[in-house]
Amino acid sequence: MESAKVTTKGQVTIPKSIRELLDLKEGSKILFIQKGNDVIIKNSAMIALENIQNEFDGEAERLGLETEDDVVEMIKEYRK
């Protein structure tokens, strides 16, 4: 568990271990997600990646792609 102090401007420094856990770099954007009385902090780039992954969930099966070779063949066909 980590803690941080809130400044008079409402700012906090995210502890190094949390920045590393969330892979936050200078300029990274974070999301504050409210769940009841709790607030979850997430790296917004990771949320975007999760959303993309969710959108593609099941697409390989739908397209009949079972192996990496199947994907390579499909790409070759599209490029023609």
Side-chain angles (χ1 to χ4, degrees), residues 56-66:
F56 281 105
D57 190 36
E59 284 300 303
E61 290 174 5
R62 186 183 71 77
L63 296 169
L65 305 172
E66 296 179 7

Side-chain angles (χ1 to χ4, degrees), residues 14-68:
I14 301 170
K16 183 179 180 184
S17 62
I18 304 300
R19 292 192 313 266
E20 289 172 348
L21 176 70
L22 296 176
D23 194 28
L24 297 173
K25 310 286 188 242
E26 182 178 348
S28 293
K29 294 187 178 195
I30 57 174
L31 295 175
F32 297 93
I33 303 166
Q34 183 178 353
K35 298 266 184 168
N37 290 329
D38 296 325
V39 176
I40 299 166
I41 299 173
K42 288 202 164 206
N43 181 334
S44 66
M46 296 308 293
I47 294 288
L49 181 59
E50 288 172 13
N51 289 341
I52 290 169
Q53 287 174 328
N54 289 337
E55 290 295 319
F56 281 105
D57 190 36
E59 284 300 303
E61 290 174 5
R62 186 183 71 77
L63 296 169
L65 305 172
E66 296 179 7
T67 66
E68 187 174 331

Side-chain angles (χ1 to χ4, degrees), residues 2-7 10-16 18-19 41:
E2 298 281 353
S3 66
K5 184 177 175 183
V6 179
T7 69
Q11 299 170 328
V12 297
T13 298
I14 301 170
K16 183 179 180 184
I18 304 300
R19 292 192 313 266
I41 299 173

